[in-house]
């Protein structure tokens, strides 16, 4: 007959084993073996010792003082002056978004505008923002996102611009500045549909002539002339009867 001590030992082991298998726990009885002494000494001796601040030469690109200095680029200043001159001398300025297209196609579009005395410029948004800052055209900066094209003309040529833009899907008009006022895309489209200025001036002159000319006086005296003609006819008939 087995002793009570042996029986207790045999029963306690399966209980512990079943308990940990059911909960899917495992004991990690392995510990990391320490490195050998030679290896630890070698790693301690060969470990790099880096300084806290890396030395640099004065006035070099790593000098933090040089990063605060902004070098003025003469060519960039020249481009800004030319852009400012263009913006100030033209009455019509139209900002367009440029769709992906080849340089050959863009040159063809540029020639089409140039035949109408309209000039096309590929905009540098940074330069344009600097030029129109603190001016009456400052709100055009909200249109300067992505790749932009600027169309300019010395006179008001919105109709000519719009006729070419309708055939040019590569350019999407966003807004512009005409004479002394900012315009949205819809306002520019409505203006482009108006008749030419010469025809409107002709209509105005004809209206003024009608208001202050001979037709007004003839309309006012038409009743008297009709009455006089009728009286003459009546007198003639009476004289013939008698």
């Amino acid at each position: 007959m087995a002793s009570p001590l042996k029986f207790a030992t045999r029963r306690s082991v399966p209980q512990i084993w079943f308990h940990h298998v059911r909960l899917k726990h495992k004991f990690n009885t392995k510990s990391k073996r320490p490195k050998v002494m030679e290896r630890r000494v070698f790693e301690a001796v060969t470990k790099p010792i880096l300084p806290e601040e890396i030395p640099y030469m004065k006035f070099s690109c790593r000098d933090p003082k040089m990063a605060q200095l902004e070098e003025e680029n003469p060519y960039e200043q020249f481009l800004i002056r030319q852009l400012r001159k263009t913006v100030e001398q033209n009455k019509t300025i139209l900002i367009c978004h440029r769709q992906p297209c080849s340089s050959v196609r863009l040159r063809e579009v540029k020639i089409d505008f140039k035949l109408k005395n309209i000039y096309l410029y590929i905009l540098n948004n940074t330069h344009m923002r600097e030029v129109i800052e603190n001016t009456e055209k400052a709100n055009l900066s909200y249109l300067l996102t992505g790749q932009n094209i600027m169309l300019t003309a010395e006179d008001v040529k919105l109709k000519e611009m719009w006729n070419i833009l309708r055939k040019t899907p590569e350019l999407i008009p966003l807004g512009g500045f005409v004479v002394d006022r900012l315009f949205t895309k819809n306002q520019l489209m409505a203006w482009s549909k108006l008749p030419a200025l010469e025809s409107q001036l002709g209509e105005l002159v004809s209206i003024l002539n009608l208001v202050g000319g001979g037709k007004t006086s003839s309309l006012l005296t038409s009743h008297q002339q009709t009455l006089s003609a009728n009286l003459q006819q009546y007198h003639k008939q009476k004289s013939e009867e008698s």
Side-chain angles (χ1 to χ4, degrees):
M1 183 177 179
S3 63
L5 180 60
K6 290 183 178 179
F7 183 77
T9 304
R10 290 176 182 174
R11 290 188 62 185
S12 62
V13 173
Q15 287 179 357
I16 297 174
W17 184 80
F18 278 117
H19 175 72
H20 286 284
V21 169
R22 182 171 62 83
L23 298 177
K24 298 182 180 180
H25 289 169
K26 294 182 180 180
F27 290 106
N28 185 12
T29 58
K30 295 181 179 180
S31 60
K32 191 175 182 180
R33 296 178 60 183
K35 298 179 181 179
V36 296
M37 180 60 68
E38 291 80 3
R39 181 67 180 176
R40 285 185 286 172
V41 171
F42 176 76
E43 290 181 355
V45 172
T46 58
K47 185 178 180 181
I49 301 175
L50 300 176
E52 295 182 359
E53 294 183 1
I54 302 175
Y56 55 84
M57 294 181 64
K58 195 174 182 181
F59 301 115
S60 65
C61 59
R62 294 174 60 187
D63 189 349
K65 295 183 180 179
M66 293 298 295
Q68 300 176 0
L69 299 177
E70 295 182 359
E71 184 178 357
E72 186 174 315
N73 189 345
Y75 179 67
E76 188 174 5
Q77 296 300 320
F78 169 76
L79 293 178
I80 292 174
R81 287 195 301 270
Q82 291 295 111
L83 182 59
R84 180 177 285 107
K85 184 178 179 182
T86 302
V87 170
E88 291 176 353
Q89 290 182 350
N90 291 280
K91 294 182 179 180
T92 306
I93 298 174
L94 193 63
I95 305 295
C96 301
H97 175 71
R98 176 187 173 184
Q99 297 279 43
C101 65
S102 62
S103 58
V104 177
R105 174 56 182 163
L106 188 62
R107 179 174 176 80
E108 293 175 354
V109 175
K110 189 174 183 179
I111 293 173
D112 292 340
F113 281 112
K114 193 173 182 180
L115 293 175
K116 301 292 185 179
N117 292 326
I118 302 169
Y119 297 92
L120 183 148
Y121 300 93
I122 300 175
L123 271 184
N124 184 319
N125 294 338
T126 305
H127 294 174
M128 187 64 178
R129 289 191 185 96
E130 184 175 346
V131 168
I132 64 178
E133 187 178 3
N134 298 326
T135 64
E136 55 187 2
K137 306 178 183 71
N139 287 335
L140 288 176
S141 60
Y142 296 105
L143 306 177
L144 303 176
T145 55
Q147 297 183 349
N148 292 319
I149 296 291
M150 181 174 69
L151 302 175
T152 62
E154 294 183 357
D155 300 324
V156 180
K157 293 190 175 183
L158 279 178
K159 194 166 186 177
E160 292 82 353
M161 286 184 180
W162 217 265
N163 290 336
I164 299 176
L165 286 173
R166 283 187 302 176
K167 307 173 185 177
T168 312
E170 294 83 3
L171 299 182
I172 301 176
L174 302 176
F177 187 89
V178 183
V179 185
D180 57 352
R181 180 182 169 188
L182 291 168
F183 287 89
T184 62
K185 176 184 176 181
N186 295 333
Q187 290 173 338
L188 292 172
M189 187 184 301
W191 191 345
S192 65
K193 295 178 180 179
L194 295 175
L197 181 61
E198 291 77 8
S199 62
Q200 290 184 341
L201 290 176
E203 292 179 2
L204 178 62
V205 170
S206 62
I207 292 172
L208 293 176
N209 289 333
L210 291 176
V211 171
K215 191 170 183 180
T216 303
S217 61
S218 63
L219 290 174
L220 293 174
T221 58
S222 60
H223 299 288
Q224 291 86 344
Q225 293 175 357
T226 304
L227 178 61
S228 176
N230 292 335
L231 290 175
Q232 290 178 1
Q233 184 67 23
Y234 179 76
H235 178 70
K236 184 177 180 182
Q237 290 178 358
K238 287 296 182 180
S239 60
E240 289 177 355
E241 292 175 359
S242 61

